[in-house]
Amino acid sequence: MMMRDTLPELKIQITEDLIQEVIRISRQAGDVIMKVYQTDFDIQLKQDFSPVTNADKEANAIIENGLNTLDYKIPILSEEGRDIVYDERKEWQTFWLVDPLDGTKDFIKKNGEFTVNIALIEDQT
């Protein structure tokens, strides 16, 4: 994620173009997830002992890169992104909330119960 020194008040207009771009980004992430899904992938443990795979990491890179190319300079809070302390993010009025592979445990079980999650949060809603 790119660091942002100051965050101006952002009010994002949700347009059809923005929606389609986020859908395109999520599909790209889904494509890489499904490629990994078809392999005998490795599983690592994060500091909190929850599992993470290359699918999580690769999808996160695609999503963060894609969101950072949009016209808006919106911070990204992602489960697989860098740790951002609360003091840094508590003033954010607008940000992307991302879980690139929600349901990693189900992904590992190969039961098909997982999703790509990208949400635009404004005014803490």
Side-chain angles (χ1 to χ4, degrees):
M1 180 180 139
M2 293 185 354
M3 293 289 297
R4 290 160 173 88
D5 295 310
T6 59
L7 296 174
E9 279 291 314
L10 296 172
K11 289 291 179 189
I12 305 303
Q13 185 169 358
I14 307 298
T15 64
E16 184 64 26
D17 287 344
L18 178 61
I19 292 168
Q20 290 305 314
E21 187 61 20
V22 173
I23 289 171
R24 184 188 66 75
I25 293 166
S26 65
R27 284 186 174 158
Q28 284 182 330
D31 289 344
V32 77
I33 288 169
M34 293 311 295
K35 284 180 185 174
V36 173
Y37 191 69
Q38 302 303 321
T39 69
D40 185 22
F41 52 84
D42 290 330
I43 303 164
Q44 295 102 33
L45 293 178
K46 297 189 282 189
Q47 285 185 328
D48 66 359
F49 301 105
S50 63
V52 65
T53 69
N54 282 345
D56 296 87
K57 295 173 185 179
E58 291 177 28
N60 188 69
I62 288 169
I63 293 168
E64 286 193 2
N65 289 335
L67 294 177
N68 280 325
T69 63
L70 299 176
D71 290 339
Y72 310 106
K73 300 299 177 213
I74 301 171
I76 301 168
L77 181 60
S78 176
E79 181 173 341
E80 304 310 334
R82 73 176 181 89
D83 286 332
I84 303 171
V85 295
Y86 179 71
D87 283 344
E88 181 179 340
R89 58 186 160 86
K90 70 181 178 183
E91 301 300 324
W92 293 356
Q93 295 299 307
T94 302
F95 63 97
W96 293 107
L97 181 60
V98 174
D99 189 345
L101 175 52
D102 185 29
T104 300
K105 290 177 184 176
D106 291 310
F107 177 84
I108 292 167
K109 292 177 188 175
K110 293 195 174 189
N111 67 13
E113 299 291 325
F114 51 88
T115 62
V116 173
N117 295 331
I118 303 172
L120 179 61
I121 307 297
E122 284 190 311
D123 298 323
Q124 301 178 8
T125 58

